[in-house]
Amino acid sequence: MTASTPLRLLLVNDTDRPMAQLHAALTAAGYLVVAEAQGAAELLQLVDSQSPDIIIIDTESPSRDTLEQLALMGHAAPRPVVMFAEQGGLPAIQAAVSAGVTAYVVDQVAASRLAPIIDMARVKFEEDARLKKRLLQMEEQLAERKLIERAKGILMERRQLSEADAYALLRSQAMQSGLRLAELSRQLINSSKLLG
C-alpha cells in the first residue's frame, strides 16, 4: 500500500453497534473505505460496483446468510475477507473459513493491529489463490494424462501397436494436425465411441 494507491475496503456491519470507530481507525491507518453495508445482503452488488481490495466484516458471530453471501462472492469475485467477531469457537471459525474468510479475529482490535491483520489476510489470500491455481493445473494435467492413456489403449487394441508406438503415432498426428495431444486424444476417444 502506498500513499497514492491506498487499499480499498468494504465494511460490512453484521451487528447492532455502529462502525464509526472502526471506519475512523481504518481511515487513519491509510485505507480508503469505499462503502459500508448493513449486513451481507448487498455484498455481491457492492463488490461488483465498488471493486474493493478487501472485505472487513464486523459481527458477533457469523450468520448463515453472511456465510452464504461470502461463499457466493468467493466464486464470483474472490477477495480477502477479514472478520472481526465477538465469539470464537472452532465450529464458527471452520464455517467462516469454509465460506472464504481469510482472517478470523476474535474480540475488538486495537487500531495499531489493523494493518498487520489486513496485510496477513492479503498474503494468505494470495498464497491460497496460488495453491488453488496449482491444484487446478495438476487436475487438468491428470485429466489430460487419462485421455492420452485411453487413446493409446484404443490404438493398441485396434492397430495391435505397442504402447510406445501408439504414443508415437498420437504425437505425430497431433503435430501434423496442430492439435494438443490431449485434444487429439479426446477426438480419438469420441470417434471410437461413434464407431463402436
Side-chain angles (χ1 to χ4, degrees):
M1 176 176 68
T2 66
S4 60
T5 58
L7 282 177
R8 299 166 51 84
L9 307 182
L10 167 61
L11 297 184
V12 178
N13 189 354
D14 206 18
T15 70
D16 293 331
R17 63 179 172 268
M19 291 187 71
Q21 187 176 358
L22 180 58
H23 188 294
L26 290 165
T27 302
Y31 298 105
L32 174 63
V33 177
V34 295
E36 285 189 40
Q38 190 63 41
E42 55 185 329
L43 182 62
L44 286 173
Q45 176 192 349
L46 286 171
V47 167
D48 186 47
S49 66
Q50 301 298 320
S51 297
D53 298 309
I54 296 185
I55 314 297
I56 307 285
I57 300 176
D58 190 19
T59 186
E60 290 175 13
S61 180
S63 69
R64 178 176 289 161
D65 289 344
T66 298
L67 296 176
E68 286 175 2
Q69 290 299 314
L70 285 173
L72 289 172
M73 183 196 75
H75 292 294
R79 300 282 196 288
V81 177
V82 177
M83 183 173 280
F84 295 109
E86 288 182 9
Q87 298 175 11
L90 193 56
I93 294 169
Q94 286 174 327
V97 170
S98 292
V101 171
T102 317
Y104 189 97
V105 182
V106 179
D107 225 346
Q108 294 299 309
V109 174
S112 62
R113 288 187 51 217
L114 287 173
I117 289 169
I118 289 171
D119 289 343
M120 188 275 302
R122 290 175 59 207
V123 169
K124 184 178 181 319
F125 178 81
E126 289 166 7
E127 180 61 22
D128 286 350
R130 272 193 294 276
L131 289 172
K132 285 177 186 172
K133 183 178 179 182
R134 181 71 184 124
L135 179 61
L136 186 61
Q137 288 171 340
M138 290 173 72
E139 288 172 347
E140 287 172 357
Q141 288 172 352
L142 181 60
E144 287 183 356
R145 237 182 248 142
K146 286 181 179 178
L147 285 173
I148 294 166
E149 290 300 318
R150 282 184 63 196
K152 280 193 314 186
I154 291 168
L155 288 174
M156 289 165 65
E157 181 184 329
R158 297 232 171 131
R159 291 207 166 174
Q160 303 301 307
L161 297 173
S162 69
E163 185 176 354
D165 288 342
Y167 183 74
L169 180 61
L170 274 174
R171 233 178 97 195
S172 169
Q173 190 61 41
M175 284 191 276
Q176 286 176 16
S177 56
L179 292 173
R180 292 180 62 243
L181 196 54
E183 185 53 38
L184 178 66
S185 295
R186 180 180 284 111
Q187 289 179 7
L188 177 65
I189 292 165
N190 289 338
S191 296
S192 82
K193 286 178 186 173
L194 286 173
L195 298 173

